[in-house]
Amino acid sequence: MTELGVVGNCCFAALIDRDASVVWCCLPRFDGEPVFHSLLGAPKDAEDSGIFAIEIEDYVHSEQSYDDNTAILETILHGKQGSVRIRDFAPRFWWRDRPFLPQTLVRRLKPVSGSPRIRIRVRPRFDYGASAPTLTRGSNHIRYVGPDFTLRLTMNAPIDYVHDETLFNLNHPIDLILGVDETLSNGVAETAHDFETRTRDYWRAWSHRLAIPFEWQEAVIRAAITLKLCTYEPTGAIVAALTTSIPEAPNTQRNWDYRYCWLRDAYFVVRALNRLAAVRKMENYFGWLMNVVASSIDTDIQPVYGVGLESVLQEKIVTSLPGYRGMGPVRIGNQAYQHLQYDSYGNVVLGVTQAFLDRRLLSPPTRTDFLRLEAMGHKALAVYDKPDAGMWELRSRASVHTTSALMCWAALDRLSVIAAHIGEPDRAWDWRTKADQVKQVILDRAWSAKRESFVSAFEGEHLDAGILLMVEVGFLDPNDPRMISTVRQIEKVLSRGPHVLRYEAADDFGVPTTAFNSCSFWRIDALARMGRMEEAREYFEELLACRNKLGMMSEDVDVQTGEAWGNYPQTYSMVGVINCATRLSRAWDKAI
């Protein structure tokens, strides 16, 4: 999994392995059926299904990279008889004054040396691998007919060779365009070339506008593009990852579906992209989030929703697929939608605060938006000292989690900031008073003299790396003696070199054994704010080395082997790359 590339267009995405096989692709959107699912295995009666492969005879090795500052992936397969280049992308550009992002994957093949012989295997499945398609064919296309929708592969390759998976000589370039069951308006080669040119230009123009740090530029640009690929532009939602059921650690049952929009994760994504001046994503997300707020005035807010604002994400186990490396179960849906996670109120307010203060927005928030947002503050005040499942989404017990109280405080604090900015001094004073009251309760009840640290729950005793967010959200000065002591204790108990575990207490599945990349980045950020810059830079370089060759990270890492685990690509992890790079980099004016 560590060497998977991602192509997409902010409507759907595909994961492609180092040998140019599409191993994961959900349609019609991120949380749809995986028509290519070999990442999670295949049914017993169709063991080689769920894949879109380009195979070269007598394979020797491959090379893979992105075009600079784009989401166009290039793979070169080398065989004993020659080499072939495959360029993969999902069309993404402006057309007729609106974004053009069809559910289409374009694969362009070209011989680059010798006389390569290749085989093209296109084996989609439906209903999570349970249903095989019915194939029909035309003069230059094959249709894969499923129970609910049909895919069409249009090509300028010999249709018989593709249909029958025949090994053939690749003597000239060919193009494969897989998408919805519609006829192309132009020829295959012309369409593929036009789509690639426009898509390349779009991504380069988007990257060109980023306000990047002087150091680690390539890492930051790739992280930013990856975050954008995890956004669902039709609604403005942001998914936590593009996959489901990649275990957090081997054979642990910690297999979850992350193809939904967590308010927590989305806030951090928006904050990271704002740091790079990519504010358009903040505007899109603001629209989606205010729909969530409007629908939650009379109910508890959920920590997670579907990208189309779906509130019910019923969790169930899929038995047709064996799971990643056979490590099931494969889950779809996520029980977290039923959880009480009170940090969500803070994540809502934090997620939109800059929108109220930023004068660049084309559609700035209104006073009505602020009044609706105040409802989130009233709820935060009512529940900040009540038990919940916490940010780590414990399924079998509840506590008054410090991180939940912290984020409730952040909701009140930022409401005060917003009120002052929009000319509501009385409201600003009221929210500031409430925030100060909550802050004092947290200081009194979350501090453990025994552990010399803030702990995971009020009157608790266990350490939790989430406490590092006290620095991130401005709850305490990073050089406050209590914060310095807390960081020291977290380093002593939860740190493994550059890596940091989430918490020390056992959860529903035991004690975690892999490090959570986000926690590792939070620690670096805290160290930098405390003035421990050299240590922070050293740890950051070590974490960057944990990215795959394409510059992406999953959720977790095995601290012994460095192997990546968890869903992929994890937005939380890519956020850490951006935040720490911008925090640690030398300033441009000092570098030049």
Side-chain angles (χ1 to χ4, degrees), residues 207-275:
S207 299
H208 178 261
R209 296 190 295 271
L210 296 176
I212 59 174
F214 172 72
E215 296 182 87
W216 305 294
Q217 294 182 37
E218 185 177 351
V220 169
I221 292 172
R222 182 53 51 198
I225 290 174
T226 304
L227 291 181
K228 187 171 175 65
L229 289 175
C230 292
T231 65
Y232 185 67
E233 191 154 315
T235 65
I238 304 168
V239 296
L242 297 174
T243 59
T244 178
S245 304
I246 309 297
E248 294 176 7
N251 300 302
T252 59
Q253 303 287 304
R254 299 174 185 266
N255 301 13
W256 315 115
D257 192 346
Y258 277 11
R259 300 171 299 160
Y260 308 110
C261 186
W262 269 261
L263 305 183
R264 181 185 310 113
D265 302 55
Y267 153 64
F268 283 101
V269 171
V270 168
R271 180 173 171 83
L273 291 177
N274 285 349
R275 284 180 168 176

Side-chain angles (χ1 to χ4, degrees), residues 7-209:
V7 298
N9 61 9
C10 306
C11 183
F12 87 103
L15 303 187
I16 301 171
D17 71 15
R18 63 187 304 170
D19 296 327
S21 293
V22 180
V23 297
W24 186 256
C25 179
C26 297
L27 292 172
R29 60 187 199 182
F30 300 135
D31 58 350
E33 292 183 14
V35 293
F36 300 115
H37 54 69
S38 61
L39 181 66
L40 298 184
K44 292 181 179 179
D45 60 347
E47 293 185 354
D48 294 322
S49 67
I51 198 166
F52 186 169
I54 311 296
E55 299 175 348
I56 190 169
E57 186 180 38
D58 297 327
Y59 170 85
V60 177
H61 67 94
S62 66
E63 305 168 40
Q64 195 171 57
S65 63
Y66 281 103
D67 275 11
D68 288 345
N69 301 350
T70 77
I72 298 174
L73 184 67
E74 178 173 293
T75 310
I76 300 178
L77 301 179
H78 297 280
K80 293 181 180 179
Q81 308 304 317
S83 303
V84 58
R85 182 183 70 195
I86 303 103
R87 292 176 64 79
D88 290 305
F89 65 94
R92 163 85 211 216
F93 48 86
W94 285 92
W95 189 35
R96 296 177 179 175
D97 295 324
R98 62 183 179 184
F100 178 65
L101 24 109
Q103 295 149 350
T104 299
L105 176 65
V106 180
R107 316 202 71 187
R108 309 197 71 194
L109 283 62
K110 181 180 181 180
V112 292
S113 69
S115 180
R117 287 169 58 78
I118 67 167
R119 175 181 287 109
I120 300 172
R121 292 197 296 134
V122 187
R123 297 183 178 182
R125 301 275 290 191
F126 298 95
D127 191 22
Y128 287 83
S131 301
T134 299
L135 272 60
T136 67
R137 55 193 288 179
S139 57
N140 66 344
H141 71 262
I142 300 174
R143 299 169 68 246
Y144 302 87
V145 183
D148 300 315
F149 63 94
T150 298
L151 294 174
R152 178 188 292 237
L153 178 65
T154 307
M155 68 199 88
N156 51 18
I159 189 170
D160 299 274
Y161 293 170
V162 176
H163 182 277
D164 299 335
E165 300 183 357
T166 302
L167 190 67
F168 67 97
N169 297 328
L170 184 66
N171 298 319
H172 55 78
I174 62 175
D175 299 292
L176 307 169
I177 301 177
L178 180 70
V180 295
D181 190 21
E182 296 176 354
T183 302
L184 297 180
S185 57
N186 295 310
V188 177
E190 179 185 357
T191 299
H193 177 267
D194 180 57
F195 281 5
E196 180 178 358
T197 300
R198 293 190 181 197
T199 299
R200 182 188 64 237
D201 291 346
Y202 169 83
W203 283 110
R204 288 182 175 172
W206 185 82
S207 299
H208 178 261
R209 296 190 295 271

Side-chain angles (χ1 to χ4, degrees), residues 522-539:
W522 294 342
R523 176 229 200 156
I524 291 170
D525 186 75
L527 294 181
R529 292 172 189 257
M530 292 173 175
R532 296 166 59 182
M533 292 293 291
E534 291 306 314
E535 289 176 88
R537 289 176 65 91
E538 180 180 343
Y539 287 140

Side-chain angles (χ1 to χ4, degrees), residues 418-529:
I418 296 170
H421 184 78
I422 65 175
E424 296 279 357
D426 292 340
R427 279 187 154 87
W429 180 86
D430 183 52
W431 286 116
R432 172 60 53 213
T433 301
K434 292 179 170 63
D436 289 345
Q437 292 170 350
V438 171
K439 181 173 184 176
Q440 191 58 53
V441 173
I442 296 172
L443 293 174
D444 292 341
R445 299 184 63 187
W447 174 260
S448 170
K450 177 182 178 181
R451 298 301 302 268
E452 299 180 328
S453 173
F454 290 105
V455 288
S456 62
F458 284 8
E459 288 83 42
E461 60 178 357
H462 294 112
L463 299 183
D464 181 345
I467 301 298
L468 294 169
L469 292 175
M470 284 185 172
V471 176
E472 168 75 21
V473 301
F475 181 80
L476 280 182
D477 185 285
N479 289 307
D480 184 292
R482 292 164 296 185
M483 202 67 236
I484 292 175
S485 181
T486 295
V487 171
R488 185 184 303 116
Q489 295 305 317
I490 287 175
E491 289 189 294
K492 184 185 300 182
V493 176
L494 298 178
S495 296
R496 306 289 187 272
H499 306 293
V500 179
L501 306 182
R502 284 175 288 182
Y503 40 79
E504 65 175 331
D507 59 20
D508 307 300
F509 298 89
V511 177
T513 58
T514 53
F516 193 67
N517 288 324
S518 289
C519 296
S520 304
F521 287 118
W522 294 342
R523 176 229 200 156
I524 291 170
D525 186 75
L527 294 181
R529 292 172 189 257

Side-chain angles (χ1 to χ4, degrees), residues 299-321:
T299 61
D300 288 315
I301 202 163
Q302 297 177 193
V304 58
Y305 294 84
V307 297
L309 291 173
E310 294 84 2
S311 59
V312 177
L313 306 174
Q314 193 67 46
E315 185 176 303
K316 63 179 181 179
I317 291 176
V318 172
T319 59
S320 51
L321 297 176

